Amino acid sequence: MSTTTADRVSKATSQPGLASSVRFRNFALVMAMSFPVLYVICDIFNLPLFTYHPGTNRVDLFWAAARSGEGPAMYWYGWTATCLVASPVLGLIGSLLPESFVQNKLVKILVWALYVIAVPFLVWSLMPFWTK
Amino acid sequence: MSVNTFWTIFLILHGLAAVALLGALTHQALAVAMPVRQVAAGGPGFVTRFRAVTGPAYATAVCVLWIITFILGAFIYTKYRIYIRIPIEQAGFWKTQGFFELKEHFASFGLGLLPIYWYFWKNAQNPEYDGARKGATLVLTAMCWFIFIVGHVVNNVRGYGS
C-alpha cells in the first residue's frame, strides 16, 4: 500500500489527544515563555537546583562552591533542572487560562521572541570569557 | 574497552544524533520559511526538493532527536569539564570556552521550546499558528546550527585523540 504526500500531511497534522488539547496548548505556551526568563534568572543569580562536582562525583542540593582539591563545580545541570521543574509548574497553572489567552497576538510572538531577547543577557553573563 | 574508547563512542553518538537533528530541522525550517508553491517547468531542482518536505512529519523526530542529543551531550559534559575545559583554559582559549558555555545555554533553551513547537506542527493545518510555528522553528534551527558549529570547533581545539 502506498501513501501519498497528502495522506502523510493529513496524518501528521490531525493527531488526536495532546495535539488537539487546548489545555496542553496553554501549558506548552506558558512553559515555553517562562523557560528562557527563568533560565536567565537562574544563570545571572546563580540558582541551580543542585550542584554537581565531577571530580568527586558528588551532588549538593542548590548552589555549592567548588571545594579545594576536589576540582570544579558544575551549575549548568542545576540551572536546567530548576527550569525543567519550575516552567512546567507555571505551565500547569497556565493550562487553566481561558481559550482567549492564545488569541493575543503578543503571546504568539513572545513564545519564540523571548528566546531571542534572552541571548544578550546570556552573552553578558559570560563577559569574563569575552574580556580575558 | 579503554576509558578513552568509551567516551569517544559517546562523543561520536552525540555527533551523529546532532547531524540527524540538524538535517531534520534545516529541511523543516526551509519548508516553513520558503514554502514551495509551484514547481518550475523542467522539474524541481535540488533546493526546491530540499524545501518541499512534509514539515509536520519531522516534528516528533526533531523533539526525540533534540532530547537524545541533549542527554548524550549532558553525559559527555561531565568529562569535558575536567579533561577538556581545563586544558582549554590553560591554553588561553577563553572565547572558545565562552562560546561553548553559550552553546550549553541554547541546548537547554531547546527543551523549553519543544512542547509548543510540537503542538504548532501537529496543528499545521491551523493558519492561526503559522507565524508562531515559523518563529519557533527558525529559533530552534538557528540554535541548533550554532550548537553544532561551536561543538565542532571545540572538538577541533581539543577533541578526538587529544
Side-chain angles (χ1 to χ4, degrees):
Chain A
M1 185 193 297
S2 63
T3 54
T4 64
T5 302
D7 290 338
R8 279 182 274 131
V9 172
S10 174
K11 192 179 172 189
T13 58
S14 58
Q15 302 287 326
L18 281 182
S20 58
S21 164
V22 171
R23 280 197 163 192
F24 176 75
R25 182 200 62 197
N26 288 354
F27 163 83
L29 271 173
V30 174
M31 180 183 166
M33 286 191 292
S34 59
F35 196 98
V37 177
L38 288 168
Y39 192 91
V40 167
I41 291 170
C42 287
D43 178 29
I44 291 175
F45 295 101
N46 219 349
L47 302 169
L49 192 61
F50 60 85
T51 301
Y52 178 61
H53 304 266
T56 53
N57 212 22
R58 200 184 69 234
V59 176
D60 285 322
L61 196 59
F62 305 119
W63 186 89
R67 293 186 184 180
S68 178
E70 292 189 3
M74 298 177 78
Y75 304 109
W76 173 76
Y77 296 105
W79 296 330
T80 304
T82 305
C83 296
L84 285 176
V85 170
S87 65
V89 169
L90 291 173
L92 283 174
I93 297 168
S95 69
L96 304 173
L97 289 167
E99 167 71 21
S100 57
F101 169 64
V102 80
Q103 303 302 328
N104 190 329
K105 279 186 183 174
L106 190 60
V107 168
K108 283 183 273 189
I109 293 172
L110 284 178
V111 71
W112 59 266
L114 279 170
Y115 290 84
V116 179
I117 293 167
V119 173
F121 292 97
L122 294 178
V123 171
W124 175 79
S125 77
L126 296 168
M127 196 56 78
F129 291 104
W130 316 128
T131 53
K132 272 185 186 173
Chain B
M1 183 191 298
S2 72
V3 173
N4 270 352
T5 306
F6 176 84
W7 289 105
T8 301
I9 288 170
F10 275 98
L11 183 57
I12 290 171
L13 289 174
H14 176 57
L16 289 174
V19 168
L21 175 64
L22 192 68
L25 263 173
T26 306
H27 263 298
Q28 203 181 38
L30 281 179
V32 76
M34 298 186 289
V36 176
R37 302 190 198 285
Q38 193 177 357
V39 176
F46 172 76
V47 176
T48 304
R49 286 176 196 269
F50 196 93
R51 289 158 49 204
V53 297
T54 311
Y58 285 75
T60 304
V62 164
C63 293
V64 171
L65 281 168
W66 192 290
I67 292 166
I68 289 173
T69 311
F70 180 91
I71 291 170
L72 288 169
F75 182 54
I76 299 166
Y77 195 20
T78 57
K79 286 296 165 196
Y80 171 91
R81 183 62 185 86
I82 293 176
Y83 296 103
I84 308 295
R85 177 170 164 171
I86 291 173
I88 282 178
E89 289 179 351
Q90 286 169 343
F93 294 127
W94 294 103
K95 289 182 179 65
T96 305
Q97 183 52 39
F99 278 110
F100 183 85
E101 295 288 310
L102 197 55
K103 152 190 150 77
E104 295 306 281
H105 293 331
F106 287 166
S108 295
F109 267 16
L111 297 178
L113 197 52
L114 286 181
I116 197 63
Y117 155 87
W118 180 85
Y119 180 89
F120 286 149
W121 274 108
K122 289 300 169 186
N123 288 277
Q125 78 284 8
N126 188 343
E128 187 187 358
Y129 304 132
D130 281 357
R133 178 171 52 252
K134 188 174 178 178
T137 306
L138 293 179
V139 165
L140 266 183
T141 308
M143 290 196 301
C144 188
W145 270 98
F146 181 86
I147 292 167
F148 187 85
I149 290 169
V150 171
H152 189 67
V153 169
V154 171
N155 182 62
N156 288 350
V157 172
R158 191 178 169 86
Y160 300 118
S162 59

